[in-house]
Every structure is written in structure tokens, then in C-alpha cells.
Amino acid sequence: MSENMKSKEMLTTMIRHGSSTVFTTVFITIVLAGCDSGLTAEQHFAQAMEFSDQGDFQGMTIELKNALLKDESFFEGRRALGEAYILSGDGNSAAKELRLANRLRSNDTDVAISLVRAKLLQNQYEAIPDLIKKLGIPEEDTTAQILAAKAEIGLMKLEPARAKLLDLLKQSPESIEAYQALATIAWRRRDYAETEKWVTNALEIDPK
């Protein structure tokens, strides 16, 4: 086994066991500084995707950061790191990475959508409509419209959000995210029968 692989295994073990010693901090710093400097950004990215397939969020994040240390303008790494932060619920870190990704490729709709998601995680609901326009996301983009409806939910504008989501379901009847948002509205209105209805619809599309 190579020294680099041993180092990564040691790091993963310490993270999983919650070690918070000074040695752990120094060790992580060394890894992030690129102790396996022979790898390219693309190779670090490939390793990050392997960690992702294994469900290892920490390992994936470390490899993505290593990739960006090798090439800070590496778009795929920047995008993936931002989206990883979204999955972890870290809106601030996600927004930071996705803004940088957007600067690298301003016409990428997927990055723009992810940036809107990050803003939702930051509870910046009032900023969502203007952000969607500023990022140049097409008005007909279904996901963007759902996110706009979620912003209205955050502002407790439940009826306008519900009407918007019901219209969207006519266009995209298998949108799990729309059903989830409708379930949230029903829950906030304490209509538990309707909540169950929307959750059931979502589960029929994707039982996971």
C-alpha cells in the first residue's frame, strides 16, 4: 500500500471516530495542502466521485478541496463541492463555491439552479425571484419555478405558492419536489390528510 493511501485511510479513520486532537488538525492540513502532489485536479476529482459512490461525504469533500488546490479554476470540482454542501445543508459554504463556479461558467443553468438552492438554505427568501432573473434562468424552467414557490412558502405566502405548484404539476406531473413542497404547505396549514396525500404521491414516483 502506498504512503498516500495509508495517509488517506488514517485521515478517514480519525474523522469517523470524531478525533479532535491537534494532530488530526495538522494531518488534515497536510492532506489539503496536497501531500500526494503527483495527482492532477482531474484525478482528485475522480477519487472524490469514488468516495461519493461509497457514501463517504468527508472523503469526497477532502478530495474535491484537493482538486481545487491543484486548480482553483477547475469548474467541475467547484460545482461538485458546492452541490455537496447543499446536500449537507451548509448553505453558506454552498453559496460561496457556487458563486465561484458561476463566475467560471455563467451560462450553466444547473449551477445557477444550485445557487438558488443555496440561497434557500440561507433563508434568503425575498432575494430568490431577483436572483433567478439575475442568473438568467429561463422563466419556463420548472425547477426554478418550484424554488420560487418554496421561497413563497418560506415567507408564509402559502396560497400563492400552492396555486403555483398545482399549475406546475400540470406540466410536470412527476415532479417529486413539487409534491414535497405541497406537502410542506399542507403541514403548515395543519391539513394532515392533504399532507399524507402529497407524500403518498411523491412516494409512488420514487419510493426512496
Side-chain angles (χ1 to χ4, degrees):
M1 182 183 296
S2 69
E3 289 301 317
N4 290 334
M5 290 302 295
K6 288 180 181 178
S7 296
K8 287 175 184 175
E9 287 191 5
M10 288 173 63
L11 176 59
T12 301
T13 299
M14 286 186 287
I15 290 172
R16 286 174 176 167
H17 288 281
S19 175
S20 58
T21 63
V22 173
F23 176 75
T24 302
T25 303
V26 173
F27 194 92
I28 291 173
T29 302
I30 292 172
V31 172
L32 293 181
C35 62
D36 52 351
S37 57
L39 296 181
T40 65
E42 289 76 10
Q43 288 170 324
H44 279 298
F45 181 79
Q47 290 190 351
M49 294 304 98
E50 290 180 11
F51 279 122
S52 177
D53 291 341
Q54 297 166 13
D56 187 341
F57 176 81
Q58 291 283 5
M60 175 186 67
T61 303
I62 288 170
E63 285 300 326
L64 288 173
K65 289 181 178 180
N66 280 335
L68 292 170
L69 282 172
K70 290 298 181 71
D71 181 2
E72 63 181 17
S73 63
F74 182 37
F75 170 77
E76 292 299 336
R78 191 71 67 184
R79 175 192 58 78
L81 184 57
E83 291 177 353
Y85 281 132
I86 287 177
L87 292 175
S88 72
D90 186 348
N92 292 334
S93 296
K96 174 185 174 183
E97 298 300 334
L98 290 165
R99 278 196 300 269
L100 292 171
N102 181 252
R103 290 174 190 169
L104 291 170
R105 197 175 296 178
S106 61
N107 62 344
D108 191 294
T109 301
D110 289 339
V111 168
I113 290 291
S114 292
L115 186 51
V116 175
R117 290 190 188 282
K119 290 296 182 181
L120 281 175
L121 284 175
Q122 294 176 299
N123 299 328
Q124 295 185 16
Y125 306 123
E126 293 181 350
I128 296 302
D130 287 341
L131 179 62
I132 290 173
K133 292 179 182 178
K134 180 180 178 181
L135 293 172
I137 301 172
E139 292 184 4
E140 65 274 13
D141 188 286
T142 301
T143 302
Q145 293 181 61
I146 292 172
L147 296 180
K150 284 186 171 183
E152 290 183 327
I153 295 172
L155 294 169
M156 292 303 293
K157 298 178 180 179
L158 301 184
E159 289 308 315
R162 185 175 186 275
K164 182 178 295 183
L165 290 164
L166 290 173
D167 283 341
L168 287 171
L169 280 176
K170 295 175 184 178
Q171 307 168 31
S172 305
E174 295 195 354
S175 173
I176 294 174
E177 193 167 12
Y179 286 122
Q180 291 171 336
L182 284 165
T184 299
I185 292 171
W187 180 265
R188 292 193 177 185
R189 295 168 60 194
R190 299 187 179 183
D191 187 339
Y192 303 123
E194 184 167 314
T195 301
E196 182 178 1
K197 168 189 170 183
W198 297 125
V199 170
T200 299
N201 286 341
L203 290 174
E204 286 176 353
I205 298 170
D206 186 356
K208 298 178 182 180

